């Protein structure tokens, strides 16, 4: 049989390395053993190889997959099955968006499919082909049901959100969006928004209306994390956008229609500038608003509350008039309203948007978004501050849950699974930060490499299960000897550990090394295995007196040389070297 090959161009030269397709097939079968789906496509997006896990994850394909089918054909078949109740136009948009993500994907993303939470990653081969992998994240890193692992945000859940939602990549172009976003920004039914920037979406909305868009400099750059901003659309429509940018460059945006709120604010501000006869128009608008409108005097005494307060918070308007706004705002929100200062609320000197907790009639705290407007001081009216409150409890709870998920992910990514110490990646990051800090503040720094003596004989004689338990115990002993928050202990690799000691001279590092060796000597190793001898460690220290003129790699190299000298000198000892 004639053998098929796939050519891959190397990064550093003009020659080409040829890899047989059956090696990719072997890799696909190997991934089957850990339930990871695999597909290989050529530069024309034609399917070359797939494994059994892919069929298990996507049973819609059954036995219909064929070598040479394009990615478009495969996705069209998938959506014809999973979106059978949707229109042809909706399916076509999904196909185009999926194609764009397949071609431009740089970060993993997650979908829900047949009860599985599938994380998807895509890589480009050197000849322009694409490899795509699917992993069921509900199974975790161990492969066992319920095991802890990376939990992503499934992009197909966006359509279940009441507000508009988008996910943007590092280049600030859209990766995914929901139907409400398309409605809010007048996106035509047949158009895909994937790969387009938010600024271009807004420009298209103005162009479709036959009007020139306003300046969009803020949108082109996109504001910082957590800072709400507003977008104007033709027809006096407004969208409020909350942006949350992650450390990996991915951004999550929520879009709310605040057109009614903006019109209400405009009318309220105009009403106070006009004469008393226009106050009736202001009250008429406020009393028919779905948001809670509150007007206060300069001493924060409530002058007016819209009737919607009874529906939203259970209060009767007449029972609130005359009382201070401080009686209803949680203490943590006082600063946002300037309530901590006597007299006029200086913090509300202009329109502002804050999220705070407001007490309802039952004594419970409700998350609300407050739009605060300061009115000019006028002798004929006591009203100095107008606030519009909107219940955002569901949004805040969703944001808190999302933050918790990302915090858990960050913790998992920085921890060694075996010893629960920091992992190599976490150490490298902190070491670089502390090195820069030591250079800036001109203070000492010590680095300690620790190696378990004769550990190979433990693994060979007692098995890897006992060896792993020994490493766990060593990690606990090392962690128990460190008491300063700034000190960092990490597993460096295999049976080797590393300790970073900011603002620590050689004497302090030697004292810590003695404590660790003493802890090792007094530990009861026979609890792990009755025949296990007492384990010892060799320690190499590099004490850096001055950072200027040196690199972090030099400190690591000198600590490693000191460790090597300790091993060659009989083990169970500490050697040190000075740098600077």
């Amino acid at each position: 049989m004639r053998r098929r090959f796939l050519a891959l161009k190397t990064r550093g030269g003009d020659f080409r390395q040829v890899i047989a397709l059956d090696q990719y097939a072997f890799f696909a079968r190997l991934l089957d053993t850990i339930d990871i789906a695999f597909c290989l496509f050529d530069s024309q997006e034609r399917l070359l190889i797939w494994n059994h896990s892919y069929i298990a994850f996507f049973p819609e394909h059954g036995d219909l997959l064929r070598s040479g089918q394009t990615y478009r054909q495969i996705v069209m078949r998938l959506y014809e099955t999973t979106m059978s109740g949707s229109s042809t136009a909706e399916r076509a948009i999904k196909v185009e968006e999926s194609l764009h993500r397949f071609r431009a994907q740089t970060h993993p993303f997650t979908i829900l499919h047949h009860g599985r939470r599938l994380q998807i990653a895509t890589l480009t081969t050197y000849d322009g082909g694409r490899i795509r992998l699917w992993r069921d994240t509900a199974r975790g890193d161990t492969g066992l049901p319920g095991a802890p692992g990376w939990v992503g945000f499934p992009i197909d859940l966006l359509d279940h959100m009441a507000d508009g939602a988008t996910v943007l990549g590092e280049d600030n172009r859209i990766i995914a969006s929901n139907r409400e976003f398309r409605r809010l920004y007048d996106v035509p039914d047949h158009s895909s928004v994937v790969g387009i920037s938010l600024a271009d979406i807004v420009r298209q909305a103005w162009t479709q209306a036959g009007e020139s868009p306003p300046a969009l400099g803020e949108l082109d750059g996109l504001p910082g994390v957590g800072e709400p901003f507003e977008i104007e659309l033709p027809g006096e429509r407004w969208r409020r956008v909350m942006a949350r940018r992650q450390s990996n460059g991915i951004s999550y945006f929520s879009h709310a229609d605040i057109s009614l709120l903006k019109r209400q604010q405009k009318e309220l501000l105009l009403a106070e500038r006009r004469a008393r006869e226009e106050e009736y128009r202001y009250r008429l608008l406020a009393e028919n608003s779905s948001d809670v409108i509150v007007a206060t005097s300069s001493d924060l005494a409530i002058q007016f509350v819209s009737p919607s307060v009874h529906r939203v918070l259970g209060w009767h308007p007449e029972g609130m008039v005359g009382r201070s706004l401080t009686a209803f705002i949680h203490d943590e929100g006082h600063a946002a309203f300037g309530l901590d200062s006597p007299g006029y609320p200086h913090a509300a000197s202009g329109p502002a948007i804050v999220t705070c907790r407001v007490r309802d009639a039952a004594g419970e705290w409700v998350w609300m978004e407050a739009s605060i407007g300061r009115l000019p001081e006028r002798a004929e009216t006591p009203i100095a501050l107008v606030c519009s409150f909107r219940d955002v409890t569901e949004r805040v709870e969703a944001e808190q849950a999302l933050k918790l998920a990302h915090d858990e992910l960050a913790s998992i990514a920085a921890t060694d699974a075996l010893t629960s110490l920091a992992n190599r990646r976490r150490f490298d990051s902190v070491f670089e930060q502390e090195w820069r800090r030591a250079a800036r503040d001109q203070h000492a720094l010590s680095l300690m490499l620790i190696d378990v003596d004769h550990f190979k004989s433990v693994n060979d004689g007692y098995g890897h299960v006992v060896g792993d338990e020994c490493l766990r115990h060593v990690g606990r002993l090392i962690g128990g000897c460190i008491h300063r928050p700034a000190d960092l202990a990490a597993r460096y690799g295999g049976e080797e550990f590393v300790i970073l000691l900011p603002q620590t001279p050689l004497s302090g590092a030697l004292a810590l090394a003695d404590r660790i060796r003493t802890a090792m000597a007094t530990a009861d190793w026979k609890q792990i295995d009755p025949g296990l001898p007492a384990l010892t460690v060799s320690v190499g220290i590099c004490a850096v007196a001055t950072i200027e003129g040196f690199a972090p790699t030099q400190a690591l190299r000198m600590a490693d040389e000191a460790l090597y000298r300790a091993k060659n000198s009989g083990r169970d000892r500490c050697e040190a070297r000075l740098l600077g």
Side-chain angles (χ1 to χ4, degrees):
M1 177 181 296
R2 187 174 182 181
R3 206 175 186 190
R4 295 180 300 166
F5 291 86
L6 180 67
L8 302 180
K9 184 180 292 183
T10 62
R11 293 173 183 243
D14 296 330
F15 62 94
R16 300 175 67 86
Q17 179 185 5
V18 179
I19 298 179
L21 280 179
D22 58 359
Q23 289 180 284
Y24 278 101
F26 170 80
F27 182 63
R29 292 194 299 272
L30 180 63
L31 291 177
D32 266 332
T33 65
I34 54 174
D35 296 328
I36 293 180
F38 170 97
C39 281
L40 173 66
F41 297 83
D42 65 13
S43 60
Q44 302 301 314
E45 300 180 353
R46 294 173 299 198
L47 180 63
L48 299 178
I49 296 173
W50 65 95
N51 65 0
H52 294 295
S53 295
Y54 178 75
I55 299 300
F57 287 174
F58 300 92
E60 297 86 350
H61 297 306
D63 58 354
L64 299 176
L65 283 180
R66 297 289 185 273
S67 179
Q69 289 179 348
T70 65
Y71 183 81
R72 178 185 291 274
Q73 291 173 323
I74 294 171
V75 172
M76 288 179 61
R77 180 167 58 237
L78 178 65
Y79 284 131
E80 285 172 358
T81 303
T82 59
M83 298 178 61
S84 57
S86 302
S87 67
T88 302
E90 288 178 317
R91 291 198 298 270
I93 291 174
K94 287 290 186 181
V95 169
E96 292 304 318
E97 291 181 343
S98 180
L99 277 169
H100 192 280
R101 278 193 293 271
F102 173 76
R103 294 164 179 165
Q105 182 184 354
T106 58
H107 289 79
F109 63 91
T110 304
I111 65 171
L112 291 178
H113 192 68
H114 291 303
R116 289 187 172 94
R117 189 184 292 265
L118 298 180
Q119 185 182 4
I120 304 173
T122 305
L123 297 172
T124 302
T125 62
Y126 292 129
D127 70 335
R130 299 286 275 178
I131 295 174
R132 176 160 277 198
L133 304 176
W134 294 259
R135 179 171 72 98
D136 186 355
T137 60
R139 296 176 61 85
D141 293 335
T142 64
L144 299 174
W150 192 91
V151 180
F153 183 82
I155 60 175
D156 44 359
L157 286 185
L158 295 177
D159 278 332
H160 297 279
M161 298 176 67
D163 285 343
T166 50
V167 181
L168 273 64
E170 291 177 291
D171 57 357
N172 290 331
R173 294 186 178 276
I174 297 173
I175 297 174
S177 67
N178 65 356
R179 298 186 188 93
E180 180 62 10
F181 171 81
R182 300 169 62 85
R183 186 191 69 79
L184 289 174
Y185 291 90
D186 304 328
V187 178
D189 291 341
H190 61 278
S191 298
S192 169
V193 299
V194 172
I196 303 176
S197 68
L198 182 56
D200 287 338
I201 294 290
V202 175
R203 290 189 183 97
Q204 289 177 10
W206 283 92
T207 301
Q208 289 171 192
E211 299 180 45
S212 299
L216 300 177
E218 183 182 54
L219 273 184
D220 286 325
L222 289 182
V225 174
E227 295 290 335
F229 59 99
E230 298 175 354
I231 296 175
E232 183 181 3
L233 293 177
E236 295 185 349
R237 293 174 300 152
W238 290 85
R239 308 294 181 248
R240 179 173 297 137
V241 183
M242 284 289 295
R244 184 176 297 274
R245 188 179 296 276
Q246 306 304 313
S247 60
N248 62 0
I250 299 298
S251 303
Y252 299 88
F253 285 68
S254 64
H255 308 255
D257 185 350
I258 59 167
S259 303
L260 176 61
L261 181 60
K262 294 288 287 187
R263 288 194 291 270
Q264 291 170 346
Q265 289 176 334
K266 180 179 178 180
E267 289 296 328
L268 288 174
L269 292 173
L270 288 174
E272 279 304 309
R273 297 192 195 100
R274 294 170 182 166
R276 283 184 176 272
E277 63 269 17
E278 292 186 336
E279 185 174 319
Y280 172 74
R281 183 181 302 171
Y282 150 73
R283 286 183 173 272
L284 183 64
L285 177 65
E287 290 175 358
N288 287 278
S289 169
S290 59
D291 292 339
V292 178
I293 309 298
V294 179
T296 76
S297 56
S298 60
D299 62 356
L300 302 176
I302 297 176
Q303 303 295 313
F304 168 79
V305 185
S306 62
S308 58
V309 70
H310 182 65
R311 175 179 57 80
V312 177
L313 295 172
W315 296 104
H316 291 284
E318 57 272 17
M320 297 180 67
V321 173
R323 299 176 64 182
S324 174
L325 192 57
T326 58
F328 303 95
I329 304 297
H330 194 278
D331 292 347
E332 65 191 19
H334 285 187
F337 289 83
L339 301 180
D340 292 327
S341 302
Y344 201 85
H346 64 84
S349 58
I353 299 171
V354 298
T355 301
C356 60
R357 287 189 285 175
V358 180
R359 183 165 56 89
D360 65 14
E364 301 294 330
W365 294 103
V366 179
W367 282 105
M368 304 197 79
E369 185 178 78
S371 179
I372 309 168
R374 173 181 174 178
L375 302 182
E377 296 186 36
R378 297 176 66 95
E380 64 270 20
T381 175
I383 296 177
L385 195 70
V386 176
C387 306
S388 178
F389 291 88
R390 180 186 186 193
D391 189 341
V392 292
T393 301
E394 291 185 0
R395 190 197 74 195
V396 171
E397 290 176 348
E399 290 172 350
Q400 291 173 342
L402 182 61
K403 182 181 182 302
L404 178 61
H406 282 287
D407 289 346
E408 291 175 353
L409 173 61
S411 177
I412 292 171
T415 303
D416 177 62
L418 180 63
T419 64
S420 296
L421 296 177
N423 59 18
R424 174 70 176 274
R425 176 182 178 185
R426 172 64 175 163
F427 166 77
D428 290 341
S429 175
V430 174
F431 186 30
E432 182 180 349
Q433 295 172 11
E434 291 297 340
W435 190 270
R436 290 198 301 267
R437 183 177 289 111
R440 183 190 64 217
D441 300 338
Q442 297 184 349
H443 60 63
L445 178 147
S446 290
L447 189 67
M448 184 184 302
L449 286 176
I450 302 171
D451 189 82
V452 181
D453 296 328
H454 303 296
F455 185 71
K456 184 177 185 302
S457 62
V458 174
N459 265 341
D460 293 343
Y462 298 90
H464 288 281
V465 174
V466 171
D468 285 351
E469 186 56 38
C470 288
L471 290 179
R472 288 191 191 96
H473 197 49
V474 172
R476 288 192 291 268
L477 293 175
I478 292 174
C481 293
I482 294 177
H483 306 298
R484 299 191 310 173
D487 296 344
L488 177 70
R491 185 181 179 198
Y492 201 61
E495 66 271 21
E496 197 169 33
F497 298 83
V498 63
I499 300 178
L500 178 63
L501 302 170
Q503 302 186 46
T504 303
L506 177 59
S507 58
L510 289 171
L512 175 60
D514 287 341
R515 290 200 300 271
I516 292 173
R517 291 178 58 238
T518 300
M520 293 286 294
T522 57
D524 186 5
W525 298 99
K526 296 192 181 298
Q527 286 186 352
I528 298 176
D529 189 283
L532 187 67
L535 297 186
T536 62
V537 293
S538 297
V539 183
I541 296 174
C542 176
V544 187
T546 176
I547 299 297
E548 187 175 359
F550 299 104
T553 54
Q554 291 175 274
L556 278 170
R557 185 172 62 252
M558 293 188 71
D560 191 55
E561 290 172 356
L563 175 62
Y564 182 78
R565 192 163 58 236
K567 302 288 277 189
N568 284 347
S569 299
R571 295 183 169 84
D572 189 18
R573 64 187 65 241
C574 175
E575 294 286 346
R577 292 193 63 180
L578 293 173
L579 180 64

